[in-house]
Amino acid sequence: MYFLIGALFALLLNAQFVLSKFIWGYLILFMASMAIHYANDYFDFEVDHYGTPTTFTGGSGILVENPELRGISKNLAIFFIIISIIIGAFFTVIYSYPISFFLFVLVGNALVWFYSAPPIKLSYRRLGEFANAINGFIMPAMGYFVVMGTIDLPFLIFSIPFVFLQLMFTVGVEIPDLEGDKLGNKITWTVIKGREFSFKLLGILAILTTTSFIVLSFTNLFPQSINFLILALISVISLSLGIVAIIKRPIAKIPATKLATLNVATVFVVIILVNCYFVYVLA
């Protein structure tokens, strides 16, 4: 969904659409996304024993129930990362893209692996949130880079609210896993600061998302066909739940999980509706 936002934004800035580039570019990100799930399941094996899987959190639980599959999970993660990098290399050569595109692919896959893999283990060293915030830039940037052929200032500014949204998603999925992450020595912001802090942060991030869309509407960097006030209105969906999060701030696991899940769901809704709006503008 983030990839499509970046690609559609490039088209709104009059980039030329080439279907083959779009498909192969998406496959680079798709393979890396597949690697994320298998790598996290493998390296979070111990932590997942302490948690209960929910709609968005707690891991898949597959390896907890079938530990004999751990080796396969790790190998699949490595396989998908290699395929992502190989496609990225061929894409760079075939379409004569700058070497920076291939380096971009390498950095994205490095984040995928070292998010939970040793020796860096970002999610275990208070850096998981920063890695996910960077992914809030990388995922739409991949779509933009593939279609536009470069990363420029308009996109860098445009990506700001999506970084906030991705960080909102990250904090939201940490809240239900507080107890399990603590027992598994996974150091997240929620583990350090507690659920009350995390719900306040959800609200602040939602406010920043809507505010940044409003600010973007006053810049002269984008075509007038893009009405950022409409995007701000769409983001009110996540803003409303963010305000509820600030007000309620439940500490007990069950009510906290319900509210956090709703906040995470609004991120998906906002991303889907932004894509729908961009398609409407292009139509």
Side-chain angles (χ1 to χ4, degrees), residues 80-275:
F80 284 121
I81 286 175
I82 292 173
I83 295 299
S84 176
I85 293 173
I86 290 174
I87 296 174
F90 275 103
F91 186 99
T92 304
V93 173
I94 291 172
Y95 294 107
S96 300
Y97 268 45
I99 190 64
S100 58
F101 179 82
F102 181 64
L103 294 176
F104 194 75
V105 172
L106 288 179
V107 169
N109 277 283
L111 279 175
V112 166
W113 183 252
F114 289 114
Y115 179 76
S116 54
I120 300 178
K121 300 181 71 170
L122 294 168
S123 62
Y124 288 79
R125 305 183 191 279
R126 309 185 186 193
L127 296 172
E129 292 81 5
F130 291 109
N132 273 294
I134 293 172
N135 277 330
F137 166 77
I138 287 178
M139 290 185 288
M142 178 59 72
Y144 187 84
F145 209 156
V146 163
V147 176
M148 182 65 77
T150 187
I151 297 294
D152 49 24
L153 180 61
F155 178 80
L156 290 173
I157 296 175
F158 168 76
S159 68
I160 292 172
F162 300 100
V163 171
F164 291 141
L165 278 172
Q166 182 62 17
L167 190 51
M168 185 178 176
F169 170 86
T170 302
V171 174
V173 299
E174 288 178 356
I175 290 173
D177 293 341
L178 169 61
E179 292 82 4
D181 286 346
K182 185 179 293 186
L183 289 171
N185 297 315
K186 193 173 186 178
I187 306 176
T188 66
W189 289 355
T190 302
V191 168
I192 298 170
K193 296 289 188 177
R195 286 194 172 108
E196 187 173 358
F197 165 84
S198 293
F199 278 117
K200 289 179 182 178
L201 184 56
L202 281 179
I204 292 171
L205 291 169
I207 292 170
L208 288 173
T209 299
T210 300
T211 301
S212 58
F213 277 131
I214 293 173
V215 171
L216 288 178
S217 69
F218 293 102
T219 66
N220 295 317
L221 292 172
F222 311 105
Q224 292 185 352
S225 59
I226 306 175
N227 190 335
F228 282 97
L229 292 180
I230 292 179
L231 298 185
L233 183 61
I234 291 173
S235 71
V236 169
I237 298 171
S238 58
L239 176 62
S240 60
L241 266 294
I243 292 173
V244 172
I246 290 177
I247 295 172
K248 289 194 172 183
R249 305 192 303 273
I251 297 176
K253 182 171 183 176
I254 292 178
T257 297
K258 290 180 179 178
L259 184 54
T261 300
L262 287 174
N263 273 270
V264 170
T266 63
V267 173
F268 283 99
V269 172
V270 169
I271 295 300
I272 291 171
L273 291 178
V274 170
N275 274 310

